[in-house]
mmCIF file with all atom_site columns, all heavy atoms in Angstrom:
data_model
loop_
_atom_site.group_PDB
_atom_site.id
_atom_site.type_symbol
_atom_site.label_atom_id
_atom_site.label_alt_id
_atom_site.label_comp_id
_atom_site.label_asym_id
_atom_site.label_entity_id
_atom_site.label_seq_id
_atom_site.pdbx_PDB_ins_code
_atom_site.Cartn_x
_atom_site.Cartn_y
_atom_site.Cartn_z
_atom_site.occupancy
_atom_site.B_iso_or_equiv
_atom_site.pdbx_formal_charge
_atom_site.auth_seq_id
_atom_site.auth_comp_id
_atom_site.auth_asym_id
_atom_site.auth_atom_id
_atom_site.pdbx_PDB_model_num
ATOM 1  N N   . SER A 1 38  ? 24.948  -6.232  -2.634  1.00 84.00 ? 61  SER A N   1
ATOM 2  C CA  . SER A 1 38  ? 25.506  -6.787  -3.870  1.00 84.00 ? 61  SER A CA  1
ATOM 3  C C   . SER A 1 38  ? 25.916  -8.232  -3.615  1.00 84.00 ? 61  SER A C   1
ATOM 4  O O   . SER A 1 38  ? 25.867  -8.724  -2.487  1.00 84.00 ? 61  SER A O   1
ATOM 5  C CB  . SER A 1 38  ? 26.710  -5.961  -4.299  1.00 84.00 ? 61  SER A CB  1
ATOM 6  O OG  . SER A 1 38  ? 27.668  -5.975  -3.258  1.00 84.00 ? 61  SER A OG  1
ATOM 7  N N   . TYR A 1 82  ? 13.472  -7.363  3.397   1.00 81.00 ? 105 TYR A N   1
ATOM 8  C CA  . TYR A 1 82  ? 12.970  -7.494  2.028   1.00 81.00 ? 105 TYR A CA  1
ATOM 9  C C   . TYR A 1 82  ? 12.851  -8.949  1.644   1.00 81.00 ? 105 TYR A C   1
ATOM 10 O O   . TYR A 1 82  ? 13.363  -9.828  2.342   1.00 81.00 ? 105 TYR A O   1
ATOM 11 C CB  . TYR A 1 82  ? 13.936  -6.814  1.055   1.00 81.00 ? 105 TYR A CB  1
ATOM 12 C CG  . TYR A 1 82  ? 14.105  -5.345  1.289   1.00 81.00 ? 105 TYR A CG  1
ATOM 13 C CD1 . TYR A 1 82  ? 15.219  -4.860  1.951   1.00 81.00 ? 105 TYR A CD1 1
ATOM 14 C CD2 . TYR A 1 82  ? 13.136  -4.441  0.835   1.00 81.00 ? 105 TYR A CD2 1
ATOM 15 C CE1 . TYR A 1 82  ? 15.378  -3.501  2.168   1.00 81.00 ? 105 TYR A CE1 1
ATOM 16 C CE2 . TYR A 1 82  ? 13.292  -3.087  1.052   1.00 81.00 ? 105 TYR A CE2 1
ATOM 17 C CZ  . TYR A 1 82  ? 14.417  -2.614  1.720   1.00 81.00 ? 105 TYR A CZ  1
ATOM 18 O OH  . TYR A 1 82  ? 14.559  -1.283  1.920   1.00 81.00 ? 105 TYR A OH  1
ATOM 19 N N   . GLY A 1 180 ? -15.011 -28.266 -9.726  1.00 88.00 ? 203 GLY A N   1
ATOM 20 C CA  . GLY A 1 180 ? -15.522 -28.987 -8.559  1.00 88.00 ? 203 GLY A CA  1
ATOM 21 C C   . GLY A 1 180 ? -14.456 -29.877 -7.933  1.00 88.00 ? 203 GLY A C   1
ATOM 22 O O   . GLY A 1 180 ? -13.348 -29.433 -7.669  1.00 88.00 ? 203 GLY A O   1
ATOM 23 N N   . PRO A 1 275 ? 14.985  -15.941 19.690  1.00 86.00 ? 298 PRO A N   1
ATOM 24 C CA  . PRO A 1 275 ? 15.301  -15.972 18.259  1.00 86.00 ? 298 PRO A CA  1
ATOM 25 C C   . PRO A 1 275 ? 14.710  -17.239 17.636  1.00 86.00 ? 298 PRO A C   1
ATOM 26 O O   . PRO A 1 275 ? 14.698  -18.293 18.266  1.00 86.00 ? 298 PRO A O   1
ATOM 27 C CB  . PRO A 1 275 ? 16.835  -16.007 18.216  1.00 86.00 ? 298 PRO A CB  1
ATOM 28 C CG  . PRO A 1 275 ? 17.314  -15.929 19.617  1.00 86.00 ? 298 PRO A CG  1
ATOM 29 C CD  . PRO A 1 275 ? 16.164  -16.042 20.547  1.00 86.00 ? 298 PRO A CD  1
ATOM 30 N N   . LYS A 1 378 ? -3.667  -25.888 11.264  1.00 95.00 ? 401 LYS A N   1
ATOM 31 C CA  . LYS A 1 378 ? -2.613  -26.690 10.661  1.00 95.00 ? 401 LYS A CA  1
ATOM 32 C C   . LYS A 1 378 ? -1.402  -26.683 11.571  1.00 95.00 ? 401 LYS A C   1
ATOM 33 O O   . LYS A 1 378 ? -1.003  -25.636 12.091  1.00 95.00 ? 401 LYS A O   1
ATOM 34 C CB  . LYS A 1 378 ? -2.222  -26.095 9.315   1.00 95.00 ? 401 LYS A CB  1
ATOM 35 C CG  . LYS A 1 378 ? -1.110  -26.867 8.626   1.00 95.00 ? 401 LYS A CG  1
ATOM 36 C CD  . LYS A 1 378 ? -0.405  -26.034 7.575   1.00 95.00 ? 401 LYS A CD  1
ATOM 37 C CE  . LYS A 1 378 ? 0.805   -26.787 7.046   1.00 95.00 ? 401 LYS A CE  1
ATOM 38 N NZ  . LYS A 1 378 ? 1.571   -25.993 6.101   1.00 95.00 ? 401 LYS A NZ  1
ATOM 39 N N   . PHE A 1 464 ? -30.193 -33.638 1.341   1.00 85.00 ? 487 PHE A N   1
ATOM 40 C CA  . PHE A 1 464 ? -29.649 -33.556 -0.012  1.00 85.00 ? 487 PHE A CA  1
ATOM 41 C C   . PHE A 1 464 ? -28.572 -34.597 -0.210  1.00 85.00 ? 487 PHE A C   1
ATOM 42 O O   . PHE A 1 464 ? -28.577 -35.335 -1.175  1.00 85.00 ? 487 PHE A O   1
ATOM 43 C CB  . PHE A 1 464 ? -29.137 -32.151 -0.322  1.00 85.00 ? 487 PHE A CB  1
ATOM 44 C CG  . PHE A 1 464 ? -29.149 -31.857 -1.783  1.00 85.00 ? 487 PHE A CG  1
ATOM 45 C CD1 . PHE A 1 464 ? -30.254 -31.283 -2.367  1.00 85.00 ? 487 PHE A CD1 1
ATOM 46 C CD2 . PHE A 1 464 ? -28.092 -32.256 -2.584  1.00 85.00 ? 487 PHE A CD2 1
ATOM 47 C CE1 . PHE A 1 464 ? -30.296 -31.074 -3.739  1.00 85.00 ? 487 PHE A CE1 1
ATOM 48 C CE2 . PHE A 1 464 ? -28.139 -32.059 -3.951  1.00 85.00 ? 487 PHE A CE2 1
ATOM 49 C CZ  . PHE A 1 464 ? -29.239 -31.467 -4.534  1.00 85.00 ? 487 PHE A CZ  1
ATOM 50 N N   . THR A 1 523 ? 4.188   -38.260 -15.316 1.00 93.00 ? 546 THR A N   1
ATOM 51 C CA  . THR A 1 523 ? 5.557   -38.176 -15.828 1.00 93.00 ? 546 THR A CA  1
ATOM 52 C C   . THR A 1 523 ? 5.699   -36.857 -16.570 1.00 93.00 ? 546 THR A C   1
ATOM 53 O O   . THR A 1 523 ? 4.742   -36.380 -17.171 1.00 93.00 ? 546 THR A O   1
ATOM 54 C CB  . THR A 1 523 ? 5.870   -39.298 -16.823 1.00 93.00 ? 546 THR A CB  1
ATOM 55 O OG1 . THR A 1 523 ? 4.846   -39.303 -17.821 1.00 93.00 ? 546 THR A OG1 1
ATOM 56 C CG2 . THR A 1 523 ? 5.931   -40.648 -16.154 1.00 93.00 ? 546 THR A CG2 1
ATOM 57 N N   . HIS A 1 682 ? 3.625   2.456   -19.888 1.00 93.00 ? 705 HIS A N   1
ATOM 58 C CA  . HIS A 1 682 ? 4.386   2.608   -18.631 1.00 93.00 ? 705 HIS A CA  1
ATOM 59 C C   . HIS A 1 682 ? 4.933   4.023   -18.567 1.00 93.00 ? 705 HIS A C   1
ATOM 60 O O   . HIS A 1 682 ? 5.575   4.485   -19.501 1.00 93.00 ? 705 HIS A O   1
ATOM 61 C CB  . HIS A 1 682 ? 5.558   1.635   -18.592 1.00 93.00 ? 705 HIS A CB  1
ATOM 62 C CG  . HIS A 1 682 ? 5.129   0.215   -18.587 1.00 93.00 ? 705 HIS A CG  1
ATOM 63 N ND1 . HIS A 1 682 ? 4.790   -0.438  -17.443 1.00 93.00 ? 705 HIS A ND1 1
ATOM 64 C CD2 . HIS A 1 682 ? 4.954   -0.678  -19.593 1.00 93.00 ? 705 HIS A CD2 1
ATOM 65 C CE1 . HIS A 1 682 ? 4.441   -1.677  -17.744 1.00 93.00 ? 705 HIS A CE1 1
ATOM 66 N NE2 . HIS A 1 682 ? 4.517   -1.848  -19.046 1.00 93.00 ? 705 HIS A NE2 1
ATOM 67 N N   . LEU A 1 731 ? 3.248   5.055   -5.242  1.00 92.00 ? 754 LEU A N   1
ATOM 68 C CA  . LEU A 1 731 ? 3.476   6.440   -4.867  1.00 92.00 ? 754 LEU A CA  1
ATOM 69 C C   . LEU A 1 731 ? 4.339   6.508   -3.626  1.00 92.00 ? 754 LEU A C   1
ATOM 70 O O   . LEU A 1 731 ? 4.162   5.715   -2.701  1.00 92.00 ? 754 LEU A O   1
ATOM 71 C CB  . LEU A 1 731 ? 2.140   7.135   -4.593  1.00 92.00 ? 754 LEU A CB  1
ATOM 72 C CG  . LEU A 1 731 ? 1.132   7.106   -5.730  1.00 92.00 ? 754 LEU A CG  1
ATOM 73 C CD1 . LEU A 1 731 ? -0.192  7.692   -5.274  1.00 92.00 ? 754 LEU A CD1 1
ATOM 74 C CD2 . LEU A 1 731 ? 1.670   7.880   -6.932  1.00 92.00 ? 754 LEU A CD2 1
#
Side-chain angles (χ1 to χ4, degrees):
Chain A
S61 59
Y105 298 101
K401 179 200 173 184
F487 206 91
T546 52
H705 296 275
L754 303 174

